[in-house]
Amino acid sequence: MDGPVLLLVVIAAVAVAGFAKRLDLQVPLVLVAVGSIASFVPGVPQVTLAPELILGVVLPPLLYSAALDFSFVSFRKNLGHILRLGIVMVIVTAVAVGYFANWLVPELTLGAALVLGAVVAPPDAVAAIAVGRKLGLPSRMMAILTGESLVNDAAALTLFTLAVASVTGKRIEIHSPVLFFAYEILGGVIVGLILSRIVRFVRSRIQDSALETVLGLVLPFAAYLAAEEIHASGVLAVVTAGFVLGRVTADVAVTTRIQERQVWPLMDLVLEAFVFAYMGLQLKSVIQEVERDGLPVLHIFAYALLILAVVIAIRPAWIFVNTSRRAAVRKSLRRKSTETSDAMGLTWKQNLVLSWAGMRGVVTLAAASGVPLATVAGDPFPGRAVIQAVAFVVAVGTLVIQGLTLPLLIRRLDVADPLEKQQTDAQQALARSISRSAAETYLSDAAAHGIAGVSKESVEAVLERVRRSVRARLDADETEDHEERIAAAGALFDTLRRNVLGAQRSALVAARDAGELDDEILRAVLSGLDVEEAAAEARIERRNR
């Protein structure tokens, strides 16, 4: 597909997404529906991207952005549940769908059916996370969904590589599937760690916000391509890099942090709109490929609907079987809780919502289009057109069926965590206490020892004004004249205020590193500090000109 057509698709997708949001409709569903209809409009060119382009250009920034904003503490706390859904669930789905498709569809050999299973195995949590955030899902459920979306693509694409190699006869350097899987994980993580540390090192020395932001934009693509070059997991390389730089975001300049808070949401908006529009635009080409192979379209799509039903059923069945098993173990150990929950503290209602958040997405379509045309021996890949059709039906079908009903399910079920608000309030109070203590410590030290190049009398004259400014930000009932105080302050006030903000930021990061403060609370507090610090630095720069 040429550049102008791609640009038109992006513009049209963003426009449709804007109208859908204005009408309070689900953006992914509207984009898929409009794209599907548009694919049959005369004159609309066929929109086809190479799978390497989708996986190497579209996927990395989406994964990286999610990892940047994700709390590593939450990831670690929910690691067991995330791995069960993001890896074990993917393997279970791939195997179950593979054997079912092999039994159902005559055109599929067992190997080709397992390729299909790997293609449809990974859920894409973009739509589910958007719905959950809008309807206020508990933070633990959001953490599990986000964490699952960060790791399941790596598991599914590794299975896909192994399954395709077994059908085509392509040689893989590591023959053992277990060792190959371990190499993919370790290789991806190591590449992500190395590149993120290089970017962090360079950022700390260039001191140019524009260049620092550009380095952050380039990193996910570089991490993915570097890992794929050594046949490791590009997905895990991107996720690891995002975790590392998200964890040390307070180290970069304040202007860089503010720029990145604007850049990544815009990038997500454009890419997500394009992804769902692209999914819909594939309908006509999928039908044409089935017809070219001389297969009955209605029969193939009937098979696809049955496989769709199996895909949807596997997730809740596995989650509740696994939950029941864990509950039985807990009962045998005579551990009691106030209501039925699994080892992660999720109620059956919360598990039901999680089990229904299994929408598939663009990774499924990209993997399907990446199925080779022929084997190493030159024979046609068995059932390739069937795999394409089933992948489309599963991706769009789960998005429509589960995407339409998930909001209703969340509203009907009371999945709120009664302790979450208390925990959030406690964390916010702790953050305010840490900020206040750090500010008082710095100001007391400044009053006692002064500041280099400034007389002690001048410092003492401004200290009380700075203290009032700090209280105005930390205490909601004192905010009305906060801006007037800042506007009336001079150069010394701005210098002291900037130093106080730096001390508060350092104290908050130290509390996060010590495990006292959650990443999400830290980022919310730092966002407010950054705005004030940027304003102070701008005023100082204007005076120095």
Side-chain angles (χ1 to χ4, degrees):
M1 183 173 63
D2 56 14
V5 174
L6 179 61
L7 183 60
L8 287 174
V9 171
V10 172
I11 293 173
V14 172
V16 171
F19 281 112
K21 283 189 174 182
R22 187 170 182 178
L23 297 174
D24 198 26
L25 301 174
Q26 288 198 48
V27 175
L29 298 178
V30 173
L31 286 169
V32 169
V34 172
S36 299
I37 295 171
S39 68
F40 291 97
V41 175
V44 173
Q46 184 172 331
V47 181
T48 304
L49 293 176
E52 295 81 8
L53 191 60
I54 297 176
L55 296 176
V57 175
V58 177
L59 188 60
L62 290 174
L63 290 172
Y64 182 77
S65 176
L68 273 180
D69 292 335
F70 191 39
S71 168
F72 186 75
V73 174
S74 296
F75 183 83
R76 187 175 57 198
K77 286 181 179 177
N78 296 285
L79 184 61
H81 212 140
I82 289 170
L83 293 181
R84 286 196 295 274
L85 288 177
I87 295 180
V88 181
M89 179 81 252
V90 167
I91 296 173
V92 169
T93 303
V95 173
V97 170
Y99 277 94
F100 177 76
N102 174 245
W103 170 80
L104 178 69
V105 185
E107 290 80 9
L108 293 178
T109 64
L110 179 58
L114 289 174
V115 170
L116 172 62
V119 165
V120 301
D124 180 2
V126 171
I129 291 171
V131 171
R133 187 179 293 115
K134 182 178 179 180
L135 298 179
L137 279 181
S139 59
R140 175 177 291 173
M141 295 179 66
M142 294 296 294
I144 292 171
L145 284 173
T146 305
E148 177 192 5
S149 70
L150 292 177
V151 302
N152 61 11
D153 291 340
L157 292 175
T158 301
L159 289 176
F160 175 78
T161 301
L162 291 169
V164 168
S166 69
V167 175
T168 60
K170 181 180 178 181
R171 184 173 178 271
I172 296 180
E173 297 297 331
I174 302 176
H175 298 290
S176 169
V178 176
L179 291 178
F180 179 75
F181 193 75
Y183 171 78
E184 286 260 316
I185 294 174
L186 291 176
V189 170
I190 290 172
V191 169
L193 285 173
I194 292 173
L195 290 181
S196 60
R197 290 183 181 275
I198 291 174
V199 168
R200 185 183 178 189
F201 175 82
V202 174
R203 274 181 157 188
S204 66
R205 282 156 178 79
I206 59 177
Q207 297 181 341
D208 185 303
S209 295
L211 291 177
E212 290 180 39
T213 303
V214 169
L215 275 176
L217 287 171
V218 171
L219 177 58
F221 304 105
Y224 184 89
L225 294 175
E228 291 295 318
E229 190 66 23
I230 63 171
H231 306 292
S233 172
V235 170
L236 289 181
V238 173
V239 171
T240 303
F243 272 147
V244 172
L245 288 191
R247 186 78 172 171
V248 299
T249 184
D251 294 349
V252 301
V254 58
T255 48
T256 303
R257 290 196 296 274
I258 291 175
Q259 285 178 4
E260 289 191 335
R261 288 194 192 103
Q262 302 299 320
V263 167
W264 285 112
L266 289 174
M267 181 79 77
D268 290 344
L269 175 64
V270 172
L271 290 177
E272 288 172 9
F274 171 76
V275 160
F276 290 115
Y278 177 79
M279 286 174 60
L281 288 168
Q282 300 311 296
L283 177 57
K284 183 178 179 180
S285 61
V286 167
I287 293 175
Q288 289 175 339
E289 183 159 355
V290 172
E291 291 175 339
R292 276 197 301 269
D293 280 13
L295 300 174
V297 175
L298 291 180
H299 284 185
I300 298 302
F301 276 84
Y303 292 149
L305 290 174
L306 291 174
I307 294 173
L308 168 64
V310 172
V311 170
I312 291 176
I314 287 173
R315 184 177 174 95
W318 189 87
I319 286 178
F320 279 100
V321 167
N322 187 63
T323 300
S324 300
R325 179 185 61 81
R326 296 174 66 83
V329 173
R330 286 167 58 85
K331 186 176 181 180
S332 67
L333 296 175
R334 308 186 68 83
R335 294 178 182 176
K336 298 180 180 180
S337 59
T338 55
E339 63 176 316
T340 304
S341 62
D342 68 5
M344 296 302 298
L346 296 178
T347 67
W348 69 268
K349 295 179 180 179
Q350 292 172 337
N351 273 316
L352 182 58
V353 170
L354 282 180
S355 69
W356 201 243
M359 291 85 86
R360 270 55 178 178
V362 71
V363 173
T364 290
L365 294 184
S369 61
V371 175
L373 294 172
T375 66
V376 172
D379 300 322
F381 193 98
R384 186 178 187 276
V386 176
I387 294 175
Q388 301 267 2
V390 173
F392 178 86
V393 171
V394 169
V396 175
T398 53
L399 191 63
V400 171
I401 296 172
Q402 295 178 313
L404 280 175
T405 55
L406 184 61
L408 178 63
L409 186 66
I410 294 174
R411 291 191 185 100
R412 292 292 299 270
L413 297 176
D414 183 13
V415 296
D417 186 347
L419 298 178
E420 182 174 306
K421 188 177 186 307
Q422 299 176 17
Q423 293 168 349
T424 301
D425 291 344
Q427 285 275 294
Q428 291 173 343
L430 176 61
R432 289 193 295 270
S433 175
I434 292 170
S435 296
R436 186 178 290 108
S437 176
E440 289 296 335
T441 299
Y442 175 83
L443 293 173
S444 298
D445 184 70
H449 303 97
I451 297 177
V454 182
S455 66
K456 191 173 181 180
E457 292 76 13
S458 299
V459 172
E460 290 176 348
V462 179
L463 284 178
E464 184 55 34
R465 186 179 296 172
V466 177
R467 284 193 174 93
R468 290 199 303 269
S469 173
V470 172
R471 295 192 200 102
R473 182 176 55 79
L474 293 174
D475 300 325
D477 59 347
E478 298 183 19
T479 57
E480 57 275 356
D481 61 343
H482 175 43
E483 294 299 328
E484 294 180 8
R485 293 194 194 112
I486 292 180
L492 181 56
F493 175 92
D494 286 328
T495 300
L496 284 170
R497 189 73 185 94
R498 183 181 60 180
N499 293 346
V500 167
L501 290 168
Q504 290 176 309
R505 184 172 61 252
S506 298
L508 289 166
V509 171
R512 189 277 311 274
D513 293 342
E516 300 173 9
L517 204 61
D518 186 75
D519 281 314
E520 294 176 358
I521 299 296
L522 173 68
R523 292 191 186 104
V525 175
L526 288 183
S527 179
L529 295 180
D530 287 345
V531 172
E532 293 190 48
E533 187 173 349
E537 287 185 354
R539 287 192 295 269
I540 292 172
E541 288 179 3
R542 284 197 298 269
R543 292 190 185 95
N544 292 336
R545 288 174 185 170

